[in-house]
Amino acid sequence: MRTYGNIKVAIADDHEIFRDGLRAMLQKQPDILLVAEAANGKELIEQVKSQEPDIVISDVKMPVMDGAAATRHLTENYPQVGIIALTMFDEEDLIIDMLEAGARGYLLKNADKNEIIEAIKSVYQQQPYYCRHTSNKLAQMVAKSKFNPYKQKQKPDFNEREIDIVADICNGLTSKQIAEKIFLSVRTVEGLRLKIMEKMEVKNTAGIIIYAIKNNLYKPGNI
C-alpha cells in the first residue's frame, strides 16, 4: 500500500470555470498538490511530461486532442500515472472509451468534494474507482468492456451467502429488501455488504456490480 504524503494531481478540462472550481477545492486538501492544468489532451501530455503527476483527472471531450487519445498516449508512455475520466452523466460510451484506453476510474462532473478525493486516493493506491452515481446499465457496460483491472490480482474467496447477497445487489435490491428476503437485520446485511466491498477492494455498489460480472460471481441478463 502506498503512503500518501502529497499526491501530485494534474487536471485537464477545456472549460476554465470548471478548472477554477476544481483547483479551488484541491488546493484546500492537505495531502493533495495540484501541479498542472491543461485545456486539451495535447497540453495535458506536455504537462505530464514536465510535472510528473501521480494522478490525472481528465475531461473526455476536449478540443485538439480528446481525453481518450491523451489517455492512450499517457498509458503507453507513463503507465505509473493513474488517470480518472471526468464526464457528463449521459456519456456512457465515452466512459468506456476512456477505461479501455487506460483510465483507472471515472467521475461524473456533479461528483462532490468527498467523492473526488476518494477517487484520487483509490486510484493512487492502484484501485479502480467507479462513480457512486453509476447506473446499473453503465456498470454492466463497464463490466462487459475490455477494461479489466482484476487480471493480476489474487481472487478472494466468497461464501455462498456472500455470493447470494452480491447477486441481490446486482439485481438492484436494497439492504432492507435483502434483509427481508434472507431473514436478517438490515444492520447485519450492511455489515456483510461492507465485508464484500473490502474483499473486492471497491467503494460502492457500482464497484460490486463490475467486480462481480468481471469475476463471474454474477451473470447479468440483457441490458
Side-chain angles (χ1 to χ4, degrees):
M1 193 166 182
R2 297 171 79 178
T3 52
Y4 289 122
N6 273 337
I7 303 172
K8 295 190 290 181
V9 176
I11 57 177
D13 194 291
D14 57 321
H15 294 100
E16 190 176 354
I17 194 161
F18 186 81
R19 291 201 313 273
D20 289 348
L22 200 49
R23 182 198 314 120
M25 186 275 287
L26 291 174
Q27 285 176 339
K28 291 176 184 170
Q29 307 312 311
D31 46 4
I32 292 171
L33 185 65
L34 183 63
V35 295
E37 293 182 39
N40 60 61
K42 192 166 179 291
E43 281 182 18
L44 175 61
I45 289 167
E46 290 164 3
Q47 292 285 4
V48 168
K49 186 177 178 183
S50 62
Q51 300 301 321
E52 300 181 345
D54 302 303
I55 299 293
V56 164
I57 301 175
S58 175
D59 191 12
V60 177
K61 287 182 178 174
M62 293 184 289
V64 186
M65 180 187 281
D66 67 18
T71 295
R72 266 189 293 277
H73 179 90
L74 293 175
T75 301
E76 285 170 18
N77 295 279
Y78 306 94
Q80 75 281 7
V81 177
I83 300 166
I84 300 167
L86 198 57
T87 181
M88 302 298 280
F89 70 93
D90 57 351
E91 297 175 336
E92 285 110 335
D93 291 336
L94 297 178
I95 293 171
I96 301 301
D97 288 346
M98 286 288 282
L99 293 173
E100 291 188 339
R104 290 186 202 153
Y106 61 88
L107 286 167
L108 298 186
K109 284 195 171 184
N110 63 355
D112 62 28
K113 175 187 78 172
N114 292 334
E115 182 166 25
I116 293 168
I117 294 163
E118 184 176 61
I120 289 169
K121 291 183 175 180
S122 295
V123 172
Y124 183 71
Q125 295 294 351
Q126 266 104 51
Q127 295 174 0
Y129 189 84
Y130 315 108
C131 182
R132 285 178 206 158
H133 301 291
T134 301
S135 65
N136 195 287
K137 178 188 172 189
L138 175 56
Q140 293 198 29
M141 285 173 70
V142 172
K144 291 174 180 179
S145 73
K146 293 174 191 164
F147 172 73
N148 191 357
Y150 307 111
K151 281 186 275 196
Q152 311 298 330
K153 295 206 171 184
Q154 190 174 349
K155 305 287 189 292
D157 290 323
F158 295 90
N159 61 40
E160 198 173 328
R161 169 162 278 171
E162 288 171 336
I163 291 169
D164 288 344
I165 289 172
V166 166
D168 288 336
I169 291 168
C170 292
N171 287 323
L173 271 64
T174 64
S175 292
K176 184 171 183 290
Q177 289 169 324
I178 295 169
E180 288 169 359
K181 182 181 170 189
I182 59 176
F183 308 107
L184 290 174
S185 70
V186 175
R187 188 174 176 181
T188 301
V189 171
E190 286 290 346
L192 289 166
R193 186 190 186 103
L194 281 172
K195 189 179 173 190
I196 288 164
M197 285 165 59
E198 282 172 15
K199 282 187 179 184
M200 293 179 173
E201 296 185 350
V202 300
K203 304 292 183 187
N204 51 38
T205 300
I208 292 173
I209 294 170
I210 293 163
Y211 182 100
I213 296 172
K214 283 284 185 200
N215 292 284
N216 297 313
L217 294 175
Y218 173 75
K219 289 204 175 351
N222 294 323
I223 56 170

